[in-house]
Amino acid sequence: MTVVAVRGEAVREVDPELAEFTVTVVARDKDRQATLTRLRERAEALRGLFDRYGDGIERRETSGLHVHPEMGKKGERVTAYSGSVSTTVVVKDFAALGEMLLTVANQDQTHVHGPVWSLRQDSPVFKEVRRDAVADAIVRGKEYADALGAQVVDLIELSDPGLSRGSESFAQFQQYDAGSMKRAAYGGGPAPLELDPQRQRVRAEVEARFTVTTPTRL
C-alpha cells in the first residue's frame, strides 16, 4: 500500500472569556509601623472595592507582598520604610471591567497594570478547533489520493505535531487586537472607560498518515 502523509490545520478567532489585571498599593513613611498601617488600610480598602463587584470577578489572589527599609547614602542608617501589596484580579463580566479599572486606579497610591485577555483553559473552543484540524487532515488525505488517481483505504496514524516520525513540533496559541466591545458602566460617576478586548486566535494542527490504493496517475 502507498502511504500519504498530511498535516491538518484549523484556526478560529473568538471573543475572550476573561480579562486579568494587577493592582499594586504602596505605602512609605519614616516609621515602620506607620508604613505597615497605611499598607494594611489601603489593601483592605481595595478588597472592599472588589467585594462590590461580586460574581463579576472570576477570582482574585494576592500575588506579592514587599516591605523593605530604605538606606541613607552613608552607612546602614534607615531613612524610611516602603511597602507594597499586589493583587491579581481575573474578571469575567466585561460590562463592569471599565468601571472597575477606573475606580481602582482612582485610589490613593495605587498602580494598575492590564488588562490581559484570554480564554479559560477548559474552553470548548480548543476542542472544537482540534476537531476541525482532524477534519481538515481527512479532507487533505482524500484530495491527495484523488490527485494520484487513488482512494484512501485506512488511517494508520493520527498525532499531534512532533509525535509522528520525522516531524517538527509545532503548536501555538495566538492573540491579536480586534474591534471594540463597548459596554455601559454601572450607575453614575465618571464616564465609562471604553475597552477593546483582544480577539483570541486559536490554532490547532495534527498530522495524519493514510494508506491509499495503488496510484494510477504517475
Side-chain angles (χ1 to χ4, degrees):
M1 287 289 184
T2 302
V3 176
V4 172
V6 299
R7 174 173 290 187
E9 302 174 312
V11 177
R12 184 176 298 190
E13 297 167 357
V14 298
D15 290 331
E17 298 170 341
L18 301 172
E20 178 179 315
F21 63 92
T22 300
V23 183
T24 302
V25 293
V26 299
R28 182 179 184 274
D29 196 276
K30 292 182 178 180
D31 180 73
R32 184 204 305 264
Q33 191 58 48
T35 299
L36 295 176
T37 299
R38 290 180 186 176
L39 192 61
R40 184 186 69 251
E41 290 174 349
R42 289 168 183 166
E44 289 177 351
L46 188 64
R47 290 174 60 86
L49 287 176
F50 290 141
D51 287 342
R52 289 166 42 187
Y53 293 94
D55 294 338
I57 295 178
E58 178 91 354
R59 67 177 185 276
R60 70 183 197 228
E61 53 199 22
T62 301
S63 54
L65 169 63
H66 303 280
V67 179
H68 64 275
E70 297 179 3
M71 303 299 181
K73 294 182 179 180
K74 297 181 180 180
E76 295 184 353
R77 179 173 173 270
V78 177
T79 58
Y81 293 89
S82 297
S84 65
V85 176
S86 295
T87 302
T88 299
V89 184
V90 179
V91 179
K92 60 183 177 181
D93 182 5
F94 295 168
L97 180 59
E99 179 196 4
M100 191 185 307
L101 288 172
L102 284 180
T103 301
V104 171
N106 195 40
Q107 304 307 301
D108 188 32
Q109 298 296 313
T110 301
H111 306 272
V112 180
H113 178 71
V116 176
W117 310 92
S118 66
L119 296 170
R120 291 185 174 86
Q121 292 185 353
D122 61 350
S123 174
V125 173
F126 296 110
K127 180 186 296 184
E128 294 166 2
V129 175
R130 286 193 294 269
R131 288 179 174 175
D132 290 346
V134 172
D136 182 60
I138 294 173
V139 170
R140 290 190 186 194
K142 291 180 178 179
E143 289 175 347
Y144 284 15
D146 182 67
L148 295 171
Q151 293 182 339
V152 171
V153 176
D154 198 7
L155 170 69
I156 58 176
E157 184 181 61
L158 179 67
S159 68
D160 287 335
L163 297 183
S164 61
R165 291 178 292 180
S167 298
E168 179 182 357
S169 179
F170 181 82
Q172 62 179 324
F173 173 74
Q174 301 174 322
Q175 297 181 358
Y176 76 98
D177 196 2
S180 172
M181 181 185 294
K182 300 180 179 179
R183 306 287 188 176
Y186 288 169
L193 177 64
E194 295 183 350
L195 302 174
D196 296 330
Q198 285 185 318
R199 295 266 296 175
Q200 306 298 293
R201 175 178 292 177
V202 182
R203 181 175 183 174
E205 292 192 355
V206 296
E207 295 174 345
R209 298 171 70 238
F210 301 92
T211 55
V212 300
T213 57
T214 301
T216 60
R217 299 175 187 166
L218 291 178

